[in-house]
Amino acid sequence: MNKINKTQALITFENENFPINFEPAKVDFPGYQDLKAKVDEIAQGWDTYVVTSKSYPYDKKTKAELNRIRKALNDRRKEITKQASQPIDEFTALIKGLDLEIKEAVDHINEGIKAFDEKARKDKHQQNLIKLGEIATEYGVALQKLEYNPKWDNKSTSWNTIEEEARQQFEAILEQEKARKEAEQVIANKANEYTKPAMTASPYLQMLDYKSLPDVLTQMDNDHEYLIKQAKQQEENRKKAIESLEQHGDKYVDAKTGEVVDKVHTVTLKLTGTTDQLTALSNFIRDWGISYERVN
């Protein structure tokens, strides 16, 4: 083989000829028919033979003799097979040695190719991120929300394909964000509609991460209904508590137990507000059983 420049020329065996001659193994067995006839004669009739107590010693010797004949036949077969296989084994060892030598060269080259390909993938990945960042800015979407496809780093994947797939994702993200904002506004509006008691939208906005809008709205209604029932129960408990109290001098005493619950406190306030506000305050004071008088 002519010497070649390994950095410029391809290795080829096209113009070389390495002849390998092969002849099928031949086993000459001229006495086969005679041997077969002898074996047939020995082996026939034993399928119906019955071992008896009288024939037992003879039968054991016969079995041993038959096994000796079997062993002799198989030993000869193995010997001839080994001799016939020896050239094949030697040839196999030669070819495997050559193959291993070439494989070591292939493995070394492959390591260099892998390092080069990996660097190319990393370089393309960085370039893709720069270009995708520009598209993300165009859509007004954070680049981190894009699901990066590892196939985009392959040498065979064109930028046109990457851009098309990325834009499809960005458009879907915009639709999702638009739907999220609309859902948040619906929740905020609904929260503002609740009065007595009022509700805040904050916890229900977070529910959108794992619940649909209809489910969140249903949850809001259920929660508000629960708060109403709870407020009514608290009001009933408060009234019962007030009804059970009696004022004795400057103290409130539980009429049932005689326990001193609290002292009477007097505070002078100057209140300023609309008629509706003062009326609402007056009702509140009366509901709570607080004594009051007007001071001019």
Side-chain angles (χ1 to χ4, degrees), residues 76-97:
R76 184 56 175 160
R77 172 185 60 79
K78 292 177 182 178
E79 180 183 353
I80 293 174
T81 300
K82 182 178 179 181
Q83 293 177 3
S85 300
Q86 184 175 353
I88 299 299
D89 294 340
E90 292 175 354
F91 171 74
T92 299
L94 291 175
I95 296 301
K96 284 187 175 181

mmCIF file with all atom_site columns, all heavy atoms in Angstrom, residues 76-97:
data_model
loop_
_atom_site.group_PDB
_atom_site.id
_atom_site.type_symbol
_atom_site.label_atom_id
_atom_site.label_alt_id
_atom_site.label_comp_id
_atom_site.label_asym_id
_atom_site.label_entity_id
_atom_site.label_seq_id
_atom_site.pdbx_PDB_ins_code
_atom_site.Cartn_x
_atom_site.Cartn_y
_atom_site.Cartn_z
_atom_site.occupancy
_atom_site.B_iso_or_equiv
_atom_site.pdbx_formal_charge
_atom_site.auth_seq_id
_atom_site.auth_comp_id
_atom_site.auth_asym_id
_atom_site.auth_atom_id
_atom_site.pdbx_PDB_model_num
ATOM 1   N N   . ARG A 1 76 ? -13.812 -40.088 19.068 1.00 0.00 ? 76 ARG A N   1
ATOM 2   C CA  . ARG A 1 76 ? -13.247 -39.992 17.719 1.00 0.00 ? 76 ARG A CA  1
ATOM 3   C C   . ARG A 1 76 ? -13.846 -38.805 16.966 1.00 0.00 ? 76 ARG A C   1
ATOM 4   O O   . ARG A 1 76 ? -13.137 -38.098 16.241 1.00 0.00 ? 76 ARG A O   1
ATOM 5   C CB  . ARG A 1 76 ? -13.533 -41.309 16.964 1.00 0.00 ? 76 ARG A CB  1
ATOM 6   C CG  . ARG A 1 76 ? -12.910 -41.386 15.578 1.00 0.00 ? 76 ARG A CG  1
ATOM 7   C CD  . ARG A 1 76 ? -11.420 -41.171 15.641 1.00 0.00 ? 76 ARG A CD  1
ATOM 8   N NE  . ARG A 1 76 ? -10.808 -41.352 14.324 1.00 0.00 ? 76 ARG A NE  1
ATOM 9   C CZ  . ARG A 1 76 ? -9.612  -40.876 13.974 1.00 0.00 ? 76 ARG A CZ  1
ATOM 10  N NH1 . ARG A 1 76 ? -8.907  -40.179 14.891 1.00 0.00 ? 76 ARG A NH1 1
ATOM 11  N NH2 . ARG A 1 76 ? -9.122  -41.086 12.770 1.00 0.00 ? 76 ARG A NH2 1
ATOM 12  N N   . ARG A 1 77 ? -15.167 -38.594 17.168 1.00 0.00 ? 77 ARG A N   1
ATOM 13  C CA  . ARG A 1 77 ? -15.824 -37.450 16.512 1.00 0.00 ? 77 ARG A CA  1
ATOM 14  C C   . ARG A 1 77 ? -15.200 -36.134 16.974 1.00 0.00 ? 77 ARG A C   1
ATOM 15  O O   . ARG A 1 77 ? -14.902 -35.253 16.154 1.00 0.00 ? 77 ARG A O   1
ATOM 16  C CB  . ARG A 1 77 ? -17.313 -37.463 16.843 1.00 0.00 ? 77 ARG A CB  1
ATOM 17  C CG  . ARG A 1 77 ? -18.062 -36.214 16.379 1.00 0.00 ? 77 ARG A CG  1
ATOM 18  C CD  . ARG A 1 77 ? -19.502 -36.236 16.841 1.00 0.00 ? 77 ARG A CD  1
ATOM 19  N NE  . ARG A 1 77 ? -19.630 -36.290 18.295 1.00 0.00 ? 77 ARG A NE  1
ATOM 20  C CZ  . ARG A 1 77 ? -19.488 -35.216 19.088 1.00 0.00 ? 77 ARG A CZ  1
ATOM 21  N NH1 . ARG A 1 77 ? -19.186 -34.032 18.578 1.00 0.00 ? 77 ARG A NH1 1
ATOM 22  N NH2 . ARG A 1 77 ? -19.641 -35.350 20.390 1.00 0.00 ? 77 ARG A NH2 1
ATOM 23  N N   . LYS A 1 78 ? -14.977 -36.023 18.286 1.00 0.00 ? 78 LYS A N   1
ATOM 24  C CA  . LYS A 1 78 ? -14.410 -34.782 18.815 1.00 0.00 ? 78 LYS A CA  1
ATOM 25  C C   . LYS A 1 78 ? -12.999 -34.547 18.308 1.00 0.00 ? 78 LYS A C   1
ATOM 26  O O   . LYS A 1 78 ? -12.617 -33.417 17.994 1.00 0.00 ? 78 LYS A O   1
ATOM 27  C CB  . LYS A 1 78 ? -14.413 -34.832 20.348 1.00 0.00 ? 78 LYS A CB  1
ATOM 28  C CG  . LYS A 1 78 ? -15.800 -34.790 20.957 1.00 0.00 ? 78 LYS A CG  1
ATOM 29  C CD  . LYS A 1 78 ? -15.726 -34.928 22.478 1.00 0.00 ? 78 LYS A CD  1
ATOM 30  C CE  . LYS A 1 78 ? -17.126 -34.939 23.104 1.00 0.00 ? 78 LYS A CE  1
ATOM 31  N NZ  . LYS A 1 78 ? -17.058 -35.131 24.582 1.00 0.00 ? 78 LYS A NZ  1
ATOM 32  N N   . GLU A 1 79 ? -12.231 -35.632 18.214 1.00 0.00 ? 79 GLU A N   1
ATOM 33  C CA  . GLU A 1 79 ? -10.845 -35.505 17.748 1.00 0.00 ? 79 GLU A CA  1
ATOM 34  C C   . GLU A 1 79 ? -10.802 -35.011 16.305 1.00 0.00 ? 79 GLU A C   1
ATOM 35  O O   . GLU A 1 79 ? -10.028 -34.109 15.959 1.00 0.00 ? 79 GLU A O   1
ATOM 36  C CB  . GLU A 1 79 ? -10.150 -36.869 17.882 1.00 0.00 ? 79 GLU A CB  1
ATOM 37  C CG  . GLU A 1 79 ? -8.696  -36.844 17.412 1.00 0.00 ? 79 GLU A CG  1
ATOM 38  C CD  . GLU A 1 79 ? -8.057  -38.220 17.479 1.00 0.00 ? 79 GLU A CD  1
ATOM 39  O OE1 . GLU A 1 79 ? -8.701  -39.146 18.018 1.00 0.00 ? 79 GLU A OE1 1
ATOM 40  O OE2 . GLU A 1 79 ? -6.923  -38.370 16.991 1.00 0.00 ? 79 GLU A OE2 1
ATOM 41  N N   . ILE A 1 80 ? -11.648 -35.624 15.457 1.00 0.00 ? 80 ILE A N   1
ATOM 42  C CA  . ILE A 1 80 ? -11.654 -35.233 14.043 1.00 0.00 ? 80 ILE A CA  1
ATOM 43  C C   . ILE A 1 80 ? -12.191 -33.810 13.880 1.00 0.00 ? 80 ILE A C   1
ATOM 44  O O   . ILE A 1 80 ? -11.654 -33.010 13.090 1.00 0.00 ? 80 ILE A O   1
ATOM 45  C CB  . ILE A 1 80 ? -12.498 -36.236 13.227 1.00 0.00 ? 80 ILE A CB  1
ATOM 46  C CG1 . ILE A 1 80 ? -11.808 -37.605 13.226 1.00 0.00 ? 80 ILE A CG1 1
ATOM 47  C CG2 . ILE A 1 80 ? -12.726 -35.727 11.815 1.00 0.00 ? 80 ILE A CG2 1
ATOM 48  C CD1 . ILE A 1 80 ? -12.622 -38.694 12.563 1.00 0.00 ? 80 ILE A CD1 1
ATOM 49  N N   . THR A 1 81 ? -13.238 -33.462 14.652 1.00 0.00 ? 81 THR A N   1
ATOM 50  C CA  . THR A 1 81 ? -13.802 -32.111 14.565 1.00 0.00 ? 81 THR A CA  1
ATOM 51  C C   . THR A 1 81 ? -12.776 -31.069 14.980 1.00 0.00 ? 81 THR A C   1
ATOM 52  O O   . THR A 1 81 ? -12.666 -30.000 14.375 1.00 0.00 ? 81 THR A O   1
ATOM 53  C CB  . THR A 1 81 ? -15.048 -32.003 15.466 1.00 0.00 ? 81 THR A CB  1
ATOM 54  O OG1 . THR A 1 81 ? -16.021 -32.952 15.032 1.00 0.00 ? 81 THR A OG1 1
ATOM 55  C CG2 . THR A 1 81 ? -15.650 -30.612 15.392 1.00 0.00 ? 81 THR A CG2 1
ATOM 56  N N   . LYS A 1 82 ? -12.008 -31.374 16.036 1.00 0.00 ? 82 LYS A N   1
ATOM 57  C CA  . LYS A 1 82 ? -10.985 -30.446 16.497 1.00 0.00 ? 82 LYS A CA  1
ATOM 58  C C   . LYS A 1 82 ? -9.916  -30.231 15.440 1.00 0.00 ? 82 LYS A C   1
ATOM 59  O O   . LYS A 1 82 ? -9.485  -29.101 15.188 1.00 0.00 ? 82 LYS A O   1
ATOM 60  C CB  . LYS A 1 82 ? -10.361 -30.982 17.782 1.00 0.00 ? 82 LYS A CB  1
ATOM 61  C CG  . LYS A 1 82 ? -9.306  -30.066 18.380 1.00 0.00 ? 82 LYS A CG  1
ATOM 62  C CD  . LYS A 1 82 ? -8.764  -30.649 19.673 1.00 0.00 ? 82 LYS A CD  1
ATOM 63  C CE  . LYS A 1 82 ? -7.693  -29.727 20.258 1.00 0.00 ? 82 LYS A CE  1
ATOM 64  N NZ  . LYS A 1 82 ? -7.137  -30.285 21.513 1.00 0.00 ? 82 LYS A NZ  1
ATOM 65  N N   . GLN A 1 83 ? -9.498  -31.304 14.806 1.00 0.00 ? 83 GLN A N   1
ATOM 66  C CA  . GLN A 1 83 ? -8.483  -31.191 13.751 1.00 0.00 ? 83 GLN A CA  1
ATOM 67  C C   . GLN A 1 83 ? -9.006  -30.389 12.562 1.00 0.00 ? 83 GLN A C   1
ATOM 68  O O   . GLN A 1 83 ? -8.293  -29.564 11.985 1.00 0.00 ? 83 GLN A O   1
ATOM 69  C CB  . GLN A 1 83 ? -8.046  -32.591 13.307 1.00 0.00 ? 83 GLN A CB  1
ATOM 70  C CG  . GLN A 1 83 ? -7.287  -33.369 14.375 1.00 0.00 ? 83 GLN A CG  1
ATOM 71  C CD  . GLN A 1 83 ? -6.943  -34.780 13.923 1.00 0.00 ? 83 GLN A CD  1
ATOM 72  O OE1 . GLN A 1 83 ? -7.227  -35.176 12.786 1.00 0.00 ? 83 GLN A OE1 1
ATOM 73  N NE2 . GLN A 1 83 ? -6.344  -35.563 14.822 1.00 0.00 ? 83 GLN A NE2 1
ATOM 74  N N   . ALA A 1 84 ? -10.283 -30.640 12.212 1.00 0.00 ? 84 ALA A N   1
ATOM 75  C CA  . ALA A 1 84 ? -10.863 -29.928 11.070 1.00 0.00 ? 84 ALA A CA  1
ATOM 76  C C   . ALA A 1 84 ? -11.077 -28.451 11.387 1.00 0.00 ? 84 ALA A C   1
ATOM 77  O O   . ALA A 1 84 ? -11.013 -27.590 10.498 1.00 0.00 ? 84 ALA A O   1
ATOM 78  C CB  . ALA A 1 84 ? -12.195 -30.578 10.689 1.00 0.00 ? 84 ALA A CB  1
ATOM 79  N N   . SER A 1 85 ? -11.339 -28.157 12.658 1.00 0.00 ? 85 SER A N   1
ATOM 80  C CA  . SER A 1 85 ? -11.627 -26.778 13.052 1.00 0.00 ? 85 SER A CA  1
ATOM 81  C C   . SER A 1 85 ? -10.367 -25.954 13.283 1.00 0.00 ? 85 SER A C   1
ATOM 82  O O   . SER A 1 85 ? -10.433 -24.721 13.329 1.00 0.00 ? 85 SER A O   1
ATOM 83  C CB  . SER A 1 85 ? -12.472 -26.772 14.336 1.00 0.00 ? 85 SER A CB  1
ATOM 84  O OG  . SER A 1 85 ? -13.685 -27.445 14.150 1.00 0.00 ? 85 SER A OG  1
ATOM 85  N N   . GLN A 1 86 ? -9.243  -26.577 13.445 1.00 0.00 ? 86 GLN A N   1
ATOM 86  C CA  . GLN A 1 86 ? -8.022  -25.858 13.780 1.00 0.00 ? 86 GLN A CA  1
ATOM 87  C C   . GLN A 1 86 ? -7.666  -24.774 12.762 1.00 0.00 ? 86 GLN A C   1
ATOM 88  O O   . GLN A 1 86 ? -7.369  -23.641 13.144 1.00 0.00 ? 86 GLN A O   1
ATOM 89  C CB  . GLN A 1 86 ? -6.863  -26.840 13.947 1.00 0.00 ? 86 GLN A CB  1
ATOM 90  C CG  . GLN A 1 86 ? -5.571  -26.151 14.407 1.00 0.00 ? 86 GLN A CG  1
ATOM 91  C CD  . GLN A 1 86 ? -4.459  -27.147 14.675 1.00 0.00 ? 86 GLN A CD  1
ATOM 92  O OE1 . GLN A 1 86 ? -4.676  -28.364 14.641 1.00 0.00 ? 86 GLN A OE1 1
ATOM 93  N NE2 . GLN A 1 86 ? -3.265  -26.648 14.945 1.00 0.00 ? 86 GLN A NE2 1
ATOM 94  N N   . PRO A 1 87 ? -7.724  -25.032 11.461 1.00 0.00 ? 87 PRO A N   1
ATOM 95  C CA  . PRO A 1 87 ? -7.419  -23.965 10.486 1.00 0.00 ? 87 PRO A CA  1
ATOM 96  C C   . PRO A 1 87 ? -8.416  -22.797 10.600 1.00 0.00 ? 87 PRO A C   1
ATOM 97  O O   . PRO A 1 87 ? -8.015  -21.637 10.443 1.00 0.00 ? 87 PRO A O   1
ATOM 98  C CB  . PRO A 1 87 ? -7.540  -24.668 9.134  1.00 0.00 ? 87 PRO A CB  1
ATOM 99  C CG  . PRO A 1 87 ? -7.338  -26.116 9.432  1.00 0.00 ? 87 PRO A CG  1
ATOM 100 C CD  . PRO A 1 87 ? -7.938  -26.328 10.782 1.00 0.00 ? 87 PRO A CD  1
ATOM 101 N N   . ILE A 1 88 ? -9.690  -23.103 10.866 1.00 0.00 ? 88 ILE A N   1
ATOM 102 C CA  . ILE A 1 88 ? -10.703 -22.048 11.013 1.00 0.00 ? 88 ILE A CA  1
ATOM 103 C C   . ILE A 1 88 ? -10.399 -21.201 12.246 1.00 0.00 ? 88 ILE A C   1
ATOM 104 O O   . ILE A 1 88 ? -10.479 -19.970 12.207 1.00 0.00 ? 88 ILE A O   1
ATOM 105 C CB  . ILE A 1 88 ? -12.110 -22.651 11.124 1.00 0.00 ? 88 ILE A CB  1
ATOM 106 C CG1 . ILE A 1 88 ? -12.469 -23.438 9.856  1.00 0.00 ? 88 ILE A CG1 1
ATOM 107 C CG2 . ILE A 1 88 ? -13.147 -21.557 11.378 1.00 0.00 ? 88 ILE A CG2 1
ATOM 108 C CD1 . ILE A 1 88 ? -12.482 -22.599 8.598  1.00 0.00 ? 88 ILE A CD1 1
ATOM 109 N N   . ASP A 1 89 ? -10.009 -21.850 13.347 1.00 0.00 ? 89 ASP A N   1
ATOM 110 C CA  . ASP A 1 89 ? -9.693  -21.116 14.565 1.00 0.00 ? 89 ASP A CA  1
ATOM 111 C C   . ASP A 1 89 ? -8.480  -20.209 14.365 1.00 0.00 ? 89 ASP A C   1
ATOM 112 O O   . ASP A 1 89 ? -8.462  -19.059 14.826 1.00 0.00 ? 89 ASP A O   1
ATOM 113 C CB  . ASP A 1 89 ? -9.423  -22.095 15.710 1.00 0.00 ? 89 ASP A CB  1
ATOM 114 C CG  . ASP A 1 89 ? -10.669 -22.884 16.104 1.00 0.00 ? 89 ASP A CG  1
ATOM 115 O OD1 . ASP A 1 89 ? -11.790 -22.416 15.777 1.00 0.00 ? 89 ASP A OD1 1
ATOM 116 O OD2 . ASP A 1 89 ? -10.528 -23.944 16.725 1.00 0.00 ? 89 ASP A OD2 1
ATOM 117 N N   . GLU A 1 90 ? -7.478  -20.722 13.662 1.00 0.00 ? 90 GLU A N   1
ATOM 118 C CA  . GLU A 1 90 ? -6.279  -19.920 13.408 1.00 0.00 ? 90 GLU A CA  1
ATOM 119 C C   . GLU A 1 90 ? -6.601  -18.732 12.501 1.00 0.00 ? 90 GLU A C   1
ATOM 120 O O   . GLU A 1 90 ? -6.141  -17.610 12.734 1.00 0.00 ? 90 GLU A O   1
ATOM 121 C CB  . GLU A 1 90 ? -5.198  -20.795 12.768 1.00 0.00 ? 90 GLU A CB  1
ATOM 122 C CG  . GLU A 1 90 ? -4.653  -21.860 13.715 1.00 0.00 ? 90 GLU A CG  1
ATOM 123 C CD  . GLU A 1 90 ? -3.671  -22.795 13.008 1.00 0.00 ? 90 GLU A CD  1
ATOM 124 O OE1 . GLU A 1 90 ? -3.524  -22.675 11.773 1.00 0.00 ? 90 GLU A OE1 1
ATOM 125 O OE2 . GLU A 1 90 ? -3.069  -23.643 13.702 1.00 0.00 ? 90 GLU A OE2 1
ATOM 126 N N   . PHE A 1 91 ? -7.448  -18.982 11.500 1.00 0.00 ? 91 PHE A N   1
ATOM 127 C CA  . PHE A 1 91 ? -7.842  -17.910 10.587 1.00 0.00 ? 91 PHE A CA  1
ATOM 128 C C   . PHE A 1 91 ? -8.663  -16.843 11.335 1.00 0.00 ? 91 PHE A C   1
ATOM 129 O O   . PHE A 1 91 ? -8.463  -15.636 11.162 1.00 0.00 ? 91 PHE A O   1
ATOM 130 C CB  . PHE A 1 91 ? -8.665  -18.499 9.433  1.00 0.00 ? 91 PHE A CB  1
ATOM 131 C CG  . PHE A 1 91 ? -9.291  -17.465 8.554  1.00 0.00 ? 91 PHE A CG  1
ATOM 132 C CD1 . PHE A 1 91 ? -8.527  -16.731 7.663  1.00 0.00 ? 91 PHE A CD1 1
ATOM 133 C CD2 . PHE A 1 91 ? -10.653 -17.207 8.634  1.00 0.00 ? 91 PHE A CD2 1
ATOM 134 C CE1 . PHE A 1 91 ? -9.110  -15.772 6.850  1.00 0.00 ? 91 PHE A CE1 1
ATOM 135 C CE2 . PHE A 1 91 ? -11.248 -16.248 7.823  1.00 0.00 ? 91 PHE A CE2 1
ATOM 136 C CZ  . PHE A 1 91 ? -10.474 -15.523 6.927  1.00 0.00 ? 91 PHE A CZ  1
ATOM 137 N N   . THR A 1 92 ? -9.557  -17.305 12.194 1.00 0.00 ? 92 THR A N   1
ATOM 138 C CA  . THR A 1 92 ? -10.387 -16.370 12.983 1.00 0.00 ? 92 THR A CA  1
ATOM 139 C C   . THR A 1 92 ? -9.512  -15.489 13.866 1.00 0.00 ? 92 THR A C   1
ATOM 140 O O   . THR A 1 92 ? -9.734  -14.275 13.975 1.00 0.00 ? 92 THR A O   1
ATOM 141 C CB  . THR A 1 92 ? -11.384 -17.153 13.849 1.00 0.00 ? 92 THR A CB  1
ATOM 142 O OG1 . THR A 1 92 ? -12.248 -17.918 13.007 1.00 0.00 ? 92 THR A OG1 1
ATOM 143 C CG2 . THR A 1 92 ? -12.234 -16.205 14.686 1.00 0.00 ? 92 THR A CG2 1
ATOM 144 N N   . ALA A 1 93 ? -8.495  -16.084 14.497 1.00 0.00 ? 93 ALA A N   1
ATOM 145 C CA  . ALA A 1 93 ? -7.606  -15.319 15.367 1.00 0.00 ? 93 ALA A CA  1
ATOM 146 C C   . ALA A 1 93 ? -6.846  -14.255 14.577 1.00 0.00 ? 93 ALA A C   1
ATOM 147 O O   . ALA A 1 93 ? -6.666  -13.123 15.042 1.00 0.00 ? 93 ALA A O   1
ATOM 148 C CB  . ALA A 1 93 ? -6.632  -16.269 16.072 1.00 0.00 ? 93 ALA A CB  1
ATOM 149 N N   . LEU A 1 94 ? -6.418  -14.608 13.361 1.00 0.00 ? 94 LEU A N   1
ATOM 150 C CA  . LEU A 1 94 ? -5.689  -13.641 12.526 1.00 0.00 ? 94 LEU A CA  1
ATOM 151 C C   . LEU A 1 94 ? -6.574  -12.439 12.166 1.00 0.00 ? 94 LEU A C   1
ATOM 152 O O   . LEU A 1 94 ? -6.166  -11.279 12.299 1.00 0.00 ? 94 LEU A O   1
ATOM 153 C CB  . LEU A 1 94 ? -5.194  -14.327 11.252 1.00 0.00 ? 94 LEU A CB  1
ATOM 154 C CG  . LEU A 1 94 ? -4.091  -15.366 11.420 1.00 0.00 ? 94 LEU A CG  1
ATOM 155 C CD1 . LEU A 1 94 ? -3.791  -16.042 10.079 1.00 0.00 ? 94 LEU A CD1 1
ATOM 156 C CD2 . LEU A 1 94 ? -2.819  -14.731 11.982 1.00 0.00 ? 94 LEU A CD2 1
ATOM 157 N N   . ILE A 1 95 ? -7.794  -12.742 11.721 1.00 0.00 ? 95 ILE A N   1
ATOM 158 C CA  . ILE A 1 95 ? -8.708  -11.669 11.314 1.00 0.00 ? 95 ILE A CA  1
ATOM 159 C C   . ILE A 1 95 ? -9.088  -10.793 12.504 1.00 0.00 ? 95 ILE A C   1
ATOM 160 O O   . ILE A 1 95 ? -9.154  -9.566  12.399 1.00 0.00 ? 95 ILE A O   1
ATOM 161 C CB  . ILE A 1 95 ? -9.967  -12.243 10.646 1.00 0.00 ? 95 ILE A CB  1
ATOM 162 C CG1 . ILE A 1 95 ? -9.605  -12.975 9.346  1.00 0.00 ? 95 ILE A CG1 1
ATOM 163 C CG2 . ILE A 1 95 ? -10.979 -11.141 10.362 1.00 0.00 ? 95 ILE A CG2 1
ATOM 164 C CD1 . ILE A 1 95 ? -8.917  -12.095 8.313  1.00 0.00 ? 95 ILE A CD1 1
ATOM 165 N N   . LYS A 1 96 ? -9.345  -11.421 13.671 1.00 0.00 ? 96 LYS A N   1
ATOM 166 C CA  . LYS A 1 96 ? -9.690  -10.650 14.860 1.00 0.00 ? 96 LYS A CA  1
ATOM 167 C C   . LYS A 1 96 ? -8.550  -9.726  15.271 1.00 0.00 ? 96 LYS A C   1
ATOM 168 O O   . LYS A 1 96 ? -8.777  -8.601  15.742 1.00 0.00 ? 96 LYS A O   1
ATOM 169 C CB  . LYS A 1 96 ? -10.055 -11.580 16.011 1.00 0.00 ? 96 LYS A CB  1
ATOM 170 C CG  . LYS A 1 96 ? -11.437 -12.199 15.888 1.00 0.00 ? 96 LYS A CG  1
ATOM 171 C CD  . LYS A 1 96 ? -11.798 -12.969 17.134 1.00 0.00 ? 96 LYS A CD  1
ATOM 172 C CE  . LYS A 1 96 ? -13.234 -13.485 17.060 1.00 0.00 ? 96 LYS A CE  1
ATOM 173 N NZ  . LYS A 1 96 ? -13.620 -14.240 18.292 1.00 0.00 ? 96 LYS A NZ  1
ATOM 174 N N   . GLY A 1 97 ? -7.316  -10.184 15.115 1.00 0.00 ? 97 GLY A N   1
ATOM 175 C CA  . GLY A 1 97 ? -6.166  -9.337  15.433 1.00 0.00 ? 97 GLY A CA  1
ATOM 176 C C   . GLY A 1 97 ? -6.116  -8.109  14.537 1.00 0.00 ? 97 GLY A C   1
ATOM 177 O O   . GLY A 1 97 ? -5.869  -6.985  14.997 1.00 0.00 ? 97 GLY A O   1
#
